[in-house]
């Protein structure tokens, strides 16, 4: 792997950058791999990377039906935080956040992780209680998260309106300073480059069409548009398409796939210093390095694989944004798009074993998967390498939907009275 | 925004409706006759197909009636809508995986 | 400054209406009908801005909404300043202030231009390879510098002075684009009498007809035909014509979103007029007549101010009467540029045309142009330009059999380039129609439709005027269900071009900076670097290089980028793919999308019949769900704490009055009402007597608490159900869902009566005495009307449902009267209670009083993961019922496991210390992090009646911990608490019957 640095960039500049090679190869699939990962998004590529680097398993293929990072990895609003309420969630997101903090150096690829702080606004008494519950739980879990008054919110995020005359005045907020954003595409590319350099085959335009099982029911390989591939173990990391892939092995999943939309404004000079989220009015906003305001909308109410949602979802989000940032009504929406998010009944992921031997799944990240990418890949690699979950992903079983041991962050935060 | 053909009112914009998820999931007559696994599946497991999907809608800001629809989740096109208790005319087994 | 580049005659501008505006402080004169771009050009100004990355001088490339370079900040007065406006779209108007962007200190001397010198380093994706060391420098040094350099204009800083409107419309046929094809389509559709809407982004309808000065249609001039067509359409009531209206989004089921620009172009706009209007149209059929975009040529330094698209040069001359230069060179591989050259020559300008195609491919157009006195060089390539702030010459060289001959500099002050045309298939693609690659056109054209739409004219690759008119008419007729066919006669349009990618050059390709995406500064070299690094999917190339991601969303660059990638990979163009087109077609202001949806129109505010009384009496309010509820009633000089303490004591010592109208209310009626209630609630209902009430608890099917409330039986077949304030819609939905879809055999009707009843809670030992003289037809004695009973009768002569219920633990009544009488009855009760010191109280006091009694609030003590047993309400569950919603789930392993969190009371050692709600509870505060958390504080108040603080909490195995010491987080550390029963006041419960 050719090392990236300012020095290498300078030396290439002298030669017109003719010397850069491919960041990852474009190999044909081999007949057999120790591990086959279905899905070349951030989570799948990170899994391959950690299989190679942590577990020394390099006979690995990542199969991607389109282009790597083309699903939700390249379609999200890049918010990274770990201030979740429950120990289980806090555990996995903080595991991820710690990896984010050194990721550019680890991958030798600048993923532009920017710890700009994520400020979650409280608009009513219920938010106030709920956020303080989070703040205290986070403190005892060693995760930074602090309560700010409305005035402190305004100091931290000057464009914010804390007028008492808006529909839902800001009463305060919870701020995680270590949280922030990253450059989403770079995460996929950086992991791909790192995994490839260690021997992982990243195979694009290769759609899995079947999962083959032996007489005992064990998964033994995959049918693909580029031929049959034998596999020691199979990891399904297919996000919105997980239900379809798992159905190939006759496993039915507690998942539904919804359109999730986002949009960006035209680029402007720095105007927004952090990430602001408001659950009460459903708004997420930050500013990218390029200068675009990046705004996340909600899901549509129906399942869909169309990567397209309704305009009313977008306008409602902008209503909320302009309610708390009224000066932005003259900004313009430049581009909007949709992803397909796989949502579990408790909105927490499923990472681990399935009823089919040698078949493992990592799914159900819903609207918040990007932030978990390094942690998710790290623990899923452990699970695939050892056959058993890492302690961080042990609670995120498929079985919890039988026992009722749900990890329901949304229920804990979203009930009004 | 979808345009939905309420079997009672005709075509109306989606904002008048609420989607109730997968249709034709019968609540077990005696829930205690099914084990935890089957009950968990009843509660949570969904077909989530890419293709034809039988789903429930309620015309919440209209007649207030629940009804069912067959919609292609890849194109978002409705194939038909029909009243609760009725069966669809299309054969869902032909649905795309 | 005089308009030295304005032609003495011609153009569509109104020379009788001169206007003045400023550009970077300098006064510019123009005429009504000018865009800012045409007026700048009329004054000889090409340099309008600096590019995004390299800060290269940039000018006006196009004449329309595809403009990537000429982006200006526009100031129309206070609160009306916004960035990134395309000079080619902004209509010039009196008093407007335009300014260039992304330059410092000035447009002509920009320090940022140093980036251009560093361009060998700042190649595509360079930032992924560096800025990683030392790690802490990213947040503190590198990123702030990158951010400051990036971005284009400056975001608005103050609230918008304008307002925006929304409009919904239905039509049978929506025609997008009013060029020749769109107008023909509209004519055909309108004749059928169907409802037709025609939208076009330009100030005037007509599209290319607005600059066709020599063409004829059906024997008339193009302008005469255009005017007649518009007059015909305008005269028909079934037609709505919308100029200045951009259809930007094509959504599901023929839902099309458009923005109409209403006032930006008017210096005299009425104050009440909205700036823009969002149209959401549900169309039966759509005709897409959106035209085509011209492609720039990709050659070294093709970005110099003065280098424009060929057709744009023609538009400025013909439509605006402006000469973009005095000596203009056209460089083209497309026939259309010959028409531009001819028109420009006719305007008296020195013209040279360089055709990239060898002479034998150029056809008769060459001779025709030469006959006008234009020098035509065929078989030449362009290898560069001269000039920096303005093009001064075009460097060309002959190409023979791939060999590049001697260079020649053609001096000029403007270049018109054309690499051919790309149909504007954006809306078609958004509609999810399948694009098909047409090799002859070297473009993607509309293939199979996914919705009820059809394309016409240049949008489907038809460039001849006669074809456009015929295809438009056919599309319009078909869309309107008519079979009428009409043919048109029109001057033939010379069409055809040879696709070229990066132009052949004799220079070292590594040194050539030939721009593909002008705004994002992406060169052909960058695209090749991306491919060298393994980015082969067009989506990867786009994301790695940022080509096509600027504010023009690649209108001028996408096909050139695709072509270069296809050529470099040696793969057919369609196999490289095209990027997916996403809304919006052109940028849309947030304001238009938001419209009037601000404050109470953002979310409605619900108020009760007693709201105004509360406001008049100084209540502070809080938002609860959509409701605005009285929170507390401070007297002069009181803070919240003092007011609440006073209200709390008043209730327990005398009588208080509380507006409970927000409680959800549902009337459950029918022969099977009791059976329905049995299935929905955990409690038994069959034996509840008429006139009696019961506290009902409702679960979701997953076994967790959904809602609670008092339910009264008014008759065998009638229940008056109450819900929490926020839960009412959820509960009604839940009930309707089960009733209609699971148990349609039950004969039950559900009616929301929340808004029908005003509910006045009168609570406290003096409650009975307060209301006894107001009530008629109801015996209030304990024997006749015990706790948890309901009676119908009259109060103040008004029919009422009177509940003997208490959410305070004291004697209490809830008076339900029809809403319209709510305030009158409230005031009567206030008067009757005056001798007892009746005190109005708000939600805060209500919360404290119920917490003193350990009554839960759903959503505060519960959070969607709490079972009846967790909050000590297992006793409510009817043992005999075989089933109710949620019962099966209560038997799931984790819901019966030990160690679940249970509701307890907490007492601080210091009675004055009030715990934080949400505070976490641990057994050992000295344990290492991460700590084992046992639960959290759900409610916490100072209780004036108990003379100390009180708190409720959910604690793991809490009921067994009574008397034990635990530790609770505070903002600075921990405090000590003792676990106790969750009832703090009148544990025996005697007061309720007092």
């Amino acid at each position: 792997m050719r090392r990236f640095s300012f020095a290498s960039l300078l030396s290439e500049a002298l030669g017109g950058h003719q010397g850069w090679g491919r960041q990852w190869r474009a190999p044909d699939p081999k007949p057999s791999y120790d591990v086959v990962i279905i899905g070349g998004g951030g989570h799948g590529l990170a899994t391959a990377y950690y299989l190679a680097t942590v577990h020394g398993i390099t006979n690995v293929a990542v199969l991607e039906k389109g282009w790597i990072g083309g699903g939700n990895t390249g379609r999200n609003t890049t918010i990274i935080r770990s201030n979740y309420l429950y120990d289980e969630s806090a555990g996995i997101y903080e595991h991820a956040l710690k990896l984010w903090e050194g990721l550019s150096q680890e991958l030798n690829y600048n993923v532009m992780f920017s710890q700009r702080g994520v400020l979650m606004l409280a608009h009513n008494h219920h938010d106030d209680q709920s956020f303080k519950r989070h703040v205290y739980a986070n403190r005892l879990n060693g995760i930074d998260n602090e309560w700010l008054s409305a005035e402190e919110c305004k100091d931290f995020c000057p464009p914010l309106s804390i007028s008492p005359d808006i529909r839902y005045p800001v009463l305060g907020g919870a701020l995680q300073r270590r949280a922030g954003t990253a450059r989403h595409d770079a995460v996929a590319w950086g992991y791909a480059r790192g995994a490839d350099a260690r021997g992982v085959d990243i195979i694009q335009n290769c759609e899995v069409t079947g999962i083959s099982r032996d007489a005992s029911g064990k998964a033994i390989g995959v049918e693909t548009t580029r031929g049959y591939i034998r596999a020691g173990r199979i990891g399904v990391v297919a996000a919105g398409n997980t239900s379809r892939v798992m159905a190939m092995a006759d496993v039915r999943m507690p998942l539904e796939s919804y359109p999730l939309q986002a949009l960006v404004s035209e680029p402007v000079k720095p105007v927004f210093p952090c990430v602001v989220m408001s659950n009460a009015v459903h708004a997420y906003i930050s500013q990218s390095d390029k200068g675009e305001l990046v705004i996340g909308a909600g899901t549509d109410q129906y399942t869909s694989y169309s990567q397209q949602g309704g305009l009313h979802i977008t306008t409602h989000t902008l209503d909320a944004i302009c309610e708390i940032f009224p000066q932005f009504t003259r900004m313009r929406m430049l581009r909007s798009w949709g992803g397909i998010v796989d949502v579990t009944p408790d909105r927490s992921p499923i990472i681990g074993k399935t009823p089919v031997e040698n078949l493992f799944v990592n799914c159900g990240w819903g609207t918040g998967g990007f932030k978990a990418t390094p942690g998710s890949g790290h623990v899923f690699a452990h699970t695939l390498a050892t056959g058993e979950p890492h302690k961080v992903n042990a609670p995120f079983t498929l079985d919890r939907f039988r026992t009722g041991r749900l990890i329901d962050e949304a229920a804990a935060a979203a009930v009004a009275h | 925004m979808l345009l939905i053909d309420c079997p009672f009112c005709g075509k109306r914009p989606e904002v008048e409706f609420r989607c109730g998820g997968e249709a034709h999931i019968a609540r077990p007559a005696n829930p205690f006759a099914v084990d935890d696994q089957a009950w968990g599946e009843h509660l949570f497991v969904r077909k989530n197909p890419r293709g034809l999907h039988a789903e429930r809608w309620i015309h919440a800001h209209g007649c207030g009636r629940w009804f069912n629809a067959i919609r292609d989740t890849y194109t978002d096109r409705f194939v038909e809508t029909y009243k609760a208790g009725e069966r669809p005319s299309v054969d869902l087994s032909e649905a795309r995986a | 400054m005089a308009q030295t580049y304005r032609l003495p005659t011609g153009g569509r501008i109104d020379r009788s209406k001169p206007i003045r505006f400023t550009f970077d402080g300098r006064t510019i004169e123009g005429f009504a009908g000018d865009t800012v771009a045409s007026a700048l050009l009329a004054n000889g100004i090409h340099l309008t801005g600096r590019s995004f990355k390299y800060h290269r001088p940039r000018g006006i490339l196009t004449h329309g909404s595809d403009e990537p370079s000429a982006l200006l900040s526009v100031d129309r007065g206070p609160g009306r300043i916004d960035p990134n406006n395309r000079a080619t779209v902004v209509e010039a108007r009196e008093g407007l202030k335009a300014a260039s962007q992304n330059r410092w200190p000035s447009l002509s001397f920009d320090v940022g231009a140093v980036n251009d010198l560093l361009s060998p380093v700042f190649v595509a994706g360079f930032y992924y390879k560096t800025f990683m060391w030392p790690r802490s420098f990213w947040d503190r040094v590198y990123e702030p510098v990158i951010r400051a350099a990036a971005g284009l204009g400056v975001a608005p800083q103050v609230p918008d002075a304008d307002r925006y409107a929304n409009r919904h419309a239905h039509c049978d046929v929506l025609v997008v684009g009013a060029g020749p094809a769109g107008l023909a389509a509209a004519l055909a559709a309108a004749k059928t009498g169907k409802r037709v809407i025609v939208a076009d982004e330009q100030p005037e309808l007509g599209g290319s007809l607005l600059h066709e000065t020599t063409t004829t249609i059906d024997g008339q001039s193009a302008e005469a035909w255009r005017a007649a067509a518009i007059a015909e359409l305008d005269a028909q009531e079934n037609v709505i014509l919308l100029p200045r209206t951009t259809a930007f989004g094509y959504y599901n089921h023929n839902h099309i979103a458009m923005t109409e620009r209403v006032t930006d172009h008017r210096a005299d706009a009425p104050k009440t007029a909205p700036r823009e209007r969002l149209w959401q149209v549900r169309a039966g059929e759509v005709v897409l007549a959106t035209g085509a975009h011209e492609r720039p040529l990709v050659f070294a330094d093709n970005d110099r101010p003065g280098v424009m698209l060929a057709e744009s040069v023609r538009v400025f001359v013909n439509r605006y009467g402006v000469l973009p230069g005095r000596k203009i060179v056209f460089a083209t591989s497309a026939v259309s540029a010959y028409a531009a050259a001819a028109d420009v020559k006719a305007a008296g300008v020195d013209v040279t045309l360089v055709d990239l195609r060898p002479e034998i491919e150029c056809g008769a157009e060459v001779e025709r142009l030469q006959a006008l006195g234009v020098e035509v060089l065929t078989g030449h390539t362009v290898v560069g330009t001269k000039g920096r702030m303005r093009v001064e010459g075009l460097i060309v060289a002959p190409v023979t059999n791939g060999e590049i001959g001697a260079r020649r500099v053609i001096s000029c002050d403007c270049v018109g380039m054309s690499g051919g045309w790309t149909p504007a298939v954006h809306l078609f693609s958004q509609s999810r129609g399948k694009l098909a690659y047409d090799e002859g056109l070297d473009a993607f054209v509309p293939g199979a439709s996914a919705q009820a739409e059809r394309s016409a004219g240049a949008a489907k690759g038809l460039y001849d005027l006669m074809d456009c008119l015929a295809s438009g008419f056919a599309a319009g007729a078909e869309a309107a269900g008519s079979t009428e066919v009409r043919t048109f006669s029109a001057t033939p349009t010379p069409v055809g071009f040879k696709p070229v990618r990066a132009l052949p050059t004799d220079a070292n390709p590594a040194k050539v900076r030939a721009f593909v995406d002008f705004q994002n500064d992406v060169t052909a070299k960058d695209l090749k670097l991306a491919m060298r690094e393994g980015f082969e999917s067009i989506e990867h190339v786009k994301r790695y290089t940022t080509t096509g991601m600027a504010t023009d969303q690649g209108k001028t660059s996408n096909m050139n980028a695709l072509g270069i990638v296809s050529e470099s990979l040696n793969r057919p163009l369609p196999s490289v793919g095209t990027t997916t087109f996403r809304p919006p077609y052109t940028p849309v202001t947030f304001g238009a999308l938001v419209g009037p949806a601000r404050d109470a129109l953002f979310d409605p505010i619900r108020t009760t019949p007693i709201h105004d009384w509360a406001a008049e009496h100084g209540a502070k309010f809080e938002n609860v769900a959509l409701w605005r509820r009285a929170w507390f009633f401070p007297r002069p000089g009181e803070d919240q704490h003092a007011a609440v303490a006073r209200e709390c004591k008043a209730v327990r010592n005398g009588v208080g009055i509380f507006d409970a109208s927000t409680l959800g209310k549902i009337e459950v009626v029918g022969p099977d009402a009791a059976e329905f209630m049995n299935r929905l609630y955990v409690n038994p209902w069959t034996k509840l007597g008429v006139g009696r009430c019961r506290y009902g608890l409702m679960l979701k099917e997953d076994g967790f608490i959904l809602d609670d409330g008092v339910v009264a039986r008014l008759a065998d077949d009638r229940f008056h159900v109450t819900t929490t304030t926020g839960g009412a819609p959820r509960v009604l939905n839940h009930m309707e869902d089960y009733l209609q879809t699971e148990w349609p055999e039950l004969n039950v009707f559900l009616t929301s009566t929340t808004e029908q009843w005003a509910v006045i809670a009168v609570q406290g030992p003096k409650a009975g005495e307060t209301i006894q003289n107001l009530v008629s037809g109801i015996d209030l004695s304990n024997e006749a009307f015990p706790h948890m009973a309901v009676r119908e009768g009259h109060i103040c002569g008004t029919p009422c449902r009177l509940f003997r219920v208490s959410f305070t633990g004291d004697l209490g009544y809830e008076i339900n009267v029809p809403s319209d009488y709510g305030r009158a009855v409230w005031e009567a009760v206030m008067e009757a209670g005056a001798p007892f010191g009746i005190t109005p109280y708000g939600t805060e006091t209500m919360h404290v009083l119920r917490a003193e009694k350990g009554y839960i609030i759903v959503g505060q003590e519960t959070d969607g993961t709490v079972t009846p047993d967790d909050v000590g309400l297992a006793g409510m569950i009817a043992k005999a019922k075989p089933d109710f919603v949620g019962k099966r789930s209560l038997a799931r392993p984790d819901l019966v496991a030990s160690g679940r969190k249970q509701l307890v009371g907490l007492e601080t050692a210091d009675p004055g210390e009030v715990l934080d709600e949400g505070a976490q509870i641990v057994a050992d505060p000295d344990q290492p992090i991460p700590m084992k958390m046992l639960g959290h504080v759900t409610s916490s108040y100072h209780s004036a009646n108990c003379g100390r603080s009180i708190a409720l909490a959910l604690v793991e195995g809490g009921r067994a911990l009574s008397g034990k010491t635990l530790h609770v987080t505070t903002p600075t550390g921990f405090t000590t608490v003792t676990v106790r029963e969750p009832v703090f006041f009148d544990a025996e419960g005697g007061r309720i019957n007092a």
Side-chain angles (χ1 to χ4, degrees), chain C residues 442-581:
Chain C
D442 185 50
F444 289 94
V445 294
S449 286
Q451 302 202 40
E453 56 72 38
R454 66 215 73 229
S455 297
K460 71 187 250 192
L462 300 172
Y463 299 129
D464 178 71
L465 179 57
M466 216 155 62
D467 292 345
C468 286
L469 292 162
S471 82
F473 194 88
E478 207 179 300
S482 149
T483 52
E484 188 180 353
V485 178
R486 186 168 148 194
T487 53
F488 295 82
S489 65
T491 315
T493 316
V495 298
F497 66 90
K498 180 180 183 173
V500 287
R501 311 304 179 197
L503 266 51
T505 179
D506 54 1
N508 175 359
K511 306 266 180 199
V512 170
R513 299 173 69 201
F515 288 86
V516 175
D517 185 314
F518 287 80
Q519 188 182 121
N520 273 354
D521 281 337
V522 181
T523 63
K525 203 167 55 176
D526 287 318
L527 298 176
K528 288 179 178 159
L529 171 63
M531 286 176 275
R532 199 152 54 239
E533 294 195 82
F535 297 89
E536 293 175 346
S537 152
I538 190 65
E539 284 287 354
H540 275 161
V541 174
K542 179 178 142 183
R543 285 157 181 267
Y544 191 64
T545 64
T546 74
T547 191
M549 299 188 80
T551 59
D552 64 318
Q553 290 288 287
K555 290 185 184 67
T556 51
S557 61
N558 275 347
M559 276 309 291
N560 280 335
L562 264 178
I564 289 167
V565 171
S566 149
E567 197 176 66
S568 303
L569 295 176
N570 200 19
R571 284 189 354 216
L573 194 142
S575 81
V576 176
T578 181
T579 57
T580 316
F581 295 94

Side-chain angles (χ1 to χ4, degrees), chain C residues 773-777 793-800 817-818 821 825 828:
Chain C
N773 295 328
L774 303 177
V775 175
S776 56
H794 286 78
I795 185 162
C796 310
T798 302
C800 76
V817 290
Y821 297 95
V825 173

Side-chain angles (χ1 to χ4, degrees), chain A residues 47-67:
Chain A
T47 304
Y49 175 82
Y50 293 114
L51 274 172
T53 55
V54 177
H55 304 279
I57 300 172
T58 56
N59 186 24
V60 174
V62 178
L63 310 183
E64 167 52 51
K65 76 179 160 74
W67 37 282

